[in-house]
Amino acid sequence: EVQLQASGGGLVQPGGSLRLSCTASGFTFDDYAIGWFRQVPGREREGVSCTSGSGISKYYEDSVKGRFTISRENAKSTVYLQMNSLKPEDTARYYCARTFVDCGSGWLQGVYFTSWGQGTQVTVSS
């Protein structure tokens, strides 16, 4: 069974940091790009970052560039999202999902991404 499990969320003050993990099982991990997405109730889901299966290509949504870093450890079937300088507007439920090989031009909208997990809540508040 294909599974992606996001973890590492929590409550953090503005300016703080969190590291999210997306741990996968049930498929050949390095064949798939992994994307991080977030959603606030009442708003559309948005792409945050994506890394290709090899880890060579990495993409970021404009508002997180310079603050978030995506990385992957294929030996552990895990993708990380290091989030620094967090802002209240980063508050959302964060999800990871997969797509074959590379992120694709529609990654920000989650085009062709599947196997969405339950997500992990990130709250940035003082």
Side-chain angles (χ1 to χ4, degrees):
E1 179 186 4
V2 173
Q3 286 190 329
L4 291 174
Q5 180 67 47
S7 62
L11 173 65
V12 63
Q13 292 187 342
S17 298
L18 281 174
R19 188 178 79 158
L20 305 184
S21 298
C22 175
T23 302
S25 61
F27 62 97
T28 303
F29 187 66
D30 52 3
D31 280 348
Y32 286 82
I34 302 294
W36 282 101
F37 302 84
R38 62 189 179 188
Q39 189 167 25
V40 175
R43 295 178 59 180
E44 288 192 2
R45 181 187 63 210
E46 63 176 1
V48 176
S49 184
C50 186
T51 176
S52 61
S54 67
I56 293 175
S57 299
K58 301 178 182 181
Y59 308 91
Y60 299 92
E61 190 270 330
D62 285 347
S63 72
V64 307
K65 286 179 181 176
R67 301 189 297 123
F68 292 9
T69 302
I70 193 169
S71 62
R72 65 188 296 157
E73 195 169 356
N74 284 351
K76 293 186 177 181
S77 296
T78 300
V79 169
Y80 304 99
L81 185 69
Q82 178 67 42
M83 306 188 296
N84 298 330
S85 303
L86 282 161
K87 303 175 181 180
E89 51 264 44
D90 294 317
T91 295
R93 192 160 190 87
Y94 284 69
Y95 300 85
C96 55
R98 68 170 190 163
T99 190
F100 193 60
V101 182
D102 205 352
C103 302
S105 59
W107 78 268
L108 281 169
Q109 292 76 38
V111 175
Y112 302 126
F113 281 79
T114 61
S115 308
W116 300 85
Q118 295 300 308
T120 186
Q121 179 66 34
V122 172
T123 302
V124 185
S125 175
S126 55

